[in-house]
Amino acid sequence: MTAHVPDPADAPASAPAGPQRRPWGERLASLASGSVVRVILVVVGVLWLLPTAGLLVSSFRDPRDIASTGWWEALTDPGQWSFSNYDSLLGNEKFTGSVWTTVAITLPATALVVVVGALAAYAFAWMDFPGRDWVFLVVVGLLVVPIQVALIPVARLFNTLGIFETTAGVVLFHSAFGLPFAIFLLRNFFAEIPRELLEAARLDGAGELRLFFRVVLPLGGPAIAALAIFQFMWVWNDMLVALIFADAGSPPMTVALQQEMRQFGSNFDVLAPGAFLTMLIPLAIFFAFQRQFVSGVMAGAVK
């Protein structure tokens, strides 16, 4: 008796496969790339910019018009536009002096954080020394220390050192609290540089400083640019630290505008042009270096 060998041809035909559903993540991504989401993003962007547009228009209006009608009325009435607010503000010596005070605080605080942070980040990424990882963990832990906790102890320390209510004190405060983030950001970026590239430079006789300036800095340009923009905007727009540590006789712009406020903030003719002038330089710097900023922010994700 011979065993029956089933013929593949006798097997029942399999049912046709139905349409397979795409994963929800893929469907969500395809939806996000659609025109609907683009329209929503444009609407959100316009709504986000409306207060800034209102501030700009109000800065060119007479105080009586500001008090009586909304800022959008000036769009249909060209007679409401005037430069008198800017003339009176720029004629205020206290405000113009506060601009130079802000520059004298922001530029050194940004330069110190970038230079010291880059050097420390290179040391943590590529130099071996005892306790390197533990020290880096301490630096990362400093990221969670809020500024408000350190205001009173640092104020007492600065008063003992004789730098309380001085520009140098404000610069040192901003530099100290900006360094942990700078070291953390740049160290992670520098650590992604290929080791073979650094070893080849060392074989050519490059020392640590030459290696840092000739190899690491050019490769880390996008991350350094992003860090500089972050630090610049943080220091430029700061009010809390400046209100406590800056000299009351020559305050930065944020404190000077706060001192110009009358009861109930009725002097909007001063605050509107002052606030818009305060925004101009950070906006100009951001748009001038936006390509480097985006490259620096995306560098870690790309790598």
Side-chain angles (χ1 to χ4, degrees), residues 118 121-122 125-126 186-193 212 216-217 220 224:
Y122 172 75
W126 294 108
L186 296 182
R187 184 263 180 191
N188 293 337
F189 187 87
F190 291 166
E192 298 293 334
I193 298 176
F212 173 76
V216 176
L217 276 187
I224 293 174

Side-chain angles (χ1 to χ4, degrees), residues 106 109-110 113-114 178 181-182 185 222-237 282 285-286 292-294 296-298:
T106 305
T110 303
V113 168
V114 171
F181 175 73
L185 175 68
I224 293 174
L227 170 65
I229 293 174
F230 271 126
Q231 179 69 10
F232 184 92
M233 290 188 174
W234 177 48
V235 178
W236 184 274
N237 296 319
I285 290 178
F286 176 79
Q292 291 83 352
F293 176 77
V294 174
V297 172
M298 297 297 295

Side-chain angles (χ1 to χ4, degrees), residues 39-259:
V39 172
I40 294 175
L41 292 177
V42 170
V43 172
V44 171
V46 171
L47 293 177
W48 187 272
L49 291 175
L50 271 180
T52 304
L55 182 67
L56 173 62
V57 174
S58 298
S59 66
F60 289 97
R61 302 181 71 204
D62 188 84
R64 291 170 295 182
D65 295 330
I66 296 176
S68 59
T69 59
W71 61 267
W72 51 89
E73 297 288 340
L75 300 179
T76 57
D77 186 6
Q80 295 187 14
W81 294 76
S82 172
F83 287 93
S84 59
N85 294 339
Y86 287 94
D87 292 337
S88 60
L89 182 66
L90 295 177
N92 188 337
E93 295 182 359
K94 185 175 182 179
F95 180 80
T96 55
S98 68
V99 175
W100 296 111
T101 302
T102 305
V103 173
I105 292 173
T106 305
L107 293 184
T110 303
L112 277 174
V113 168
V114 171
V115 173
V116 178
L119 289 170
Y122 172 75
F124 282 119
W126 294 108
M127 297 178 66
D128 293 326
F129 54 88
R132 181 186 67 174
D133 295 336
W134 289 105
V135 176
F136 183 69
L137 287 177
V138 172
V139 172
V140 174
L142 292 175
L143 288 171
V144 301
V145 177
I147 292 179
Q148 294 81 356
V149 174
L151 291 177
I152 295 178
V154 175
R156 292 177 177 175
L157 175 63
F158 283 3
N159 190 35
T160 303
L161 297 176
I163 58 175
F164 185 68
E165 291 190 345
T166 63
T167 300
V170 183
V171 171
L172 288 177
F173 192 98
H174 282 302
S175 301
F177 275 86
L179 277 175
F181 175 73
I183 295 172
F184 176 75
L185 175 68
L186 296 182
R187 184 263 180 191
N188 293 337
F189 187 87
F190 291 166
E192 298 293 334
I193 298 176
R195 181 180 295 272
E196 295 79 7
L197 183 62
L198 301 180
E199 291 178 351
R202 288 193 178 98
L203 289 176
D204 291 338
E208 295 297 339
L209 285 178
R210 186 176 181 183
L211 190 65
F212 173 76
F213 286 105
R214 295 294 183 88
V215 178
V216 176
L217 276 187
L219 293 176
I224 293 174
L227 170 65
I229 293 174
F230 271 126
Q231 179 69 10
F232 184 92
M233 290 188 174
W234 177 48
V235 178
W236 184 274
N237 296 319
D238 169 75
M239 180 177 175
L240 176 62
V241 177
L243 190 62
I244 297 175
F245 292 93
D247 185 3
S250 58
M253 286 191 295
T254 52
V255 179
L257 288 176
Q258 186 269 340
Q259 293 175 351

